[in-house]
Amino acid sequence: MSEVRDDLLATLPDVVATQVATRIPDLAECRGIAGRFSVGELRKQSIRHPAVLVAHLGARQEQDWTGPHHGFLLDMAAFVITKDRLGLPRDAAAANIGQVLLSMIPDNNWGESALGQARAVRLQSLVTPETRDAATSLWAVTWSQPAVVQGYTTPEPLAIELYLGQAPEVGAGHEGDYTEIGGAN
C-alpha cells in the first residue's frame, strides 16, 4: 500500500464493478452505487437482470501508521439481483453469481496500490416476502477492504532533547535529578 488516490473512495465501487463485469460478462447490469440497496430500491429503479451493484458502505479506522497515512477498513458490498430465467430459477442464479464473487473477492486489491487484500468475505441471502412478491432474488456479498488514506496534517518536527542521569537516581520519580546536556532550549 503506497500511493493514495484523492478519489479512491468515490471510484472504488466502479473499479470493482468493472472487474466483476469482466469476470461475469452475462450480467445485464454491473455498476457502482452509493449506499445500501433494498427492496424499496428495486421498486423505484428499473434494473436490468441479472445485476451486480457494488457499494462502499462505510469505513472504520483500523490502525495508525508512522507518517501522514491512516489505515482504515472499508465496508464493501456487492448486491446481486436476479429474476427467473428460462431454465434457471432466480435463487439459483443469484447463488451462482454469489459463488463467482466469493471466488474473486478474497485477497483482491482491485489493482489499487492504496488497498490491501480484501478479507472477511461473506455471502448472505436478502430474500424476503417482499422480494418474492416482486419475483426477484436479492443477495449480498460483503467484505472488508483495508485502505490507506492520506492525512491532511503537516507533521511537526520532533524536539530533540538529551538528558543525563546517574544511578541510583534514575527512572520515574527522579526526573528532577536529570541534567539537560543537549537539545533546543
Side-chain angles (χ1 to χ4, degrees), residues 61-105:
Q61 192 166 8
E62 180 182 41
Q63 63 189 34
D64 284 324
W65 295 338
T66 303
H69 295 89
H70 302 285
F72 288 85
L73 280 179
L74 307 179
D75 297 320
M76 301 294 297
F79 298 99
V80 178
I81 305 130
T82 60
K83 289 195 175 235
D84 288 331
R85 296 174 75 179
L86 288 177
L88 188 60
R90 62 185 175 257
D91 293 329
N96 289 345
I97 293 169
Q99 184 173 336
V100 172
L101 294 173
L102 288 177
S103 74
M104 73 180 291
I105 293 173

Side-chain angles (χ1 to χ4, degrees), residues 161-166 169 174-182:
E161 299 174 343
L162 181 61
Y163 292 89
L164 175 65
Q166 186 166 343
E169 289 84 26
H174 291 282
E175 288 87 357
D177 296 328
Y178 284 72
T179 304
E180 185 173 0
I181 60 171

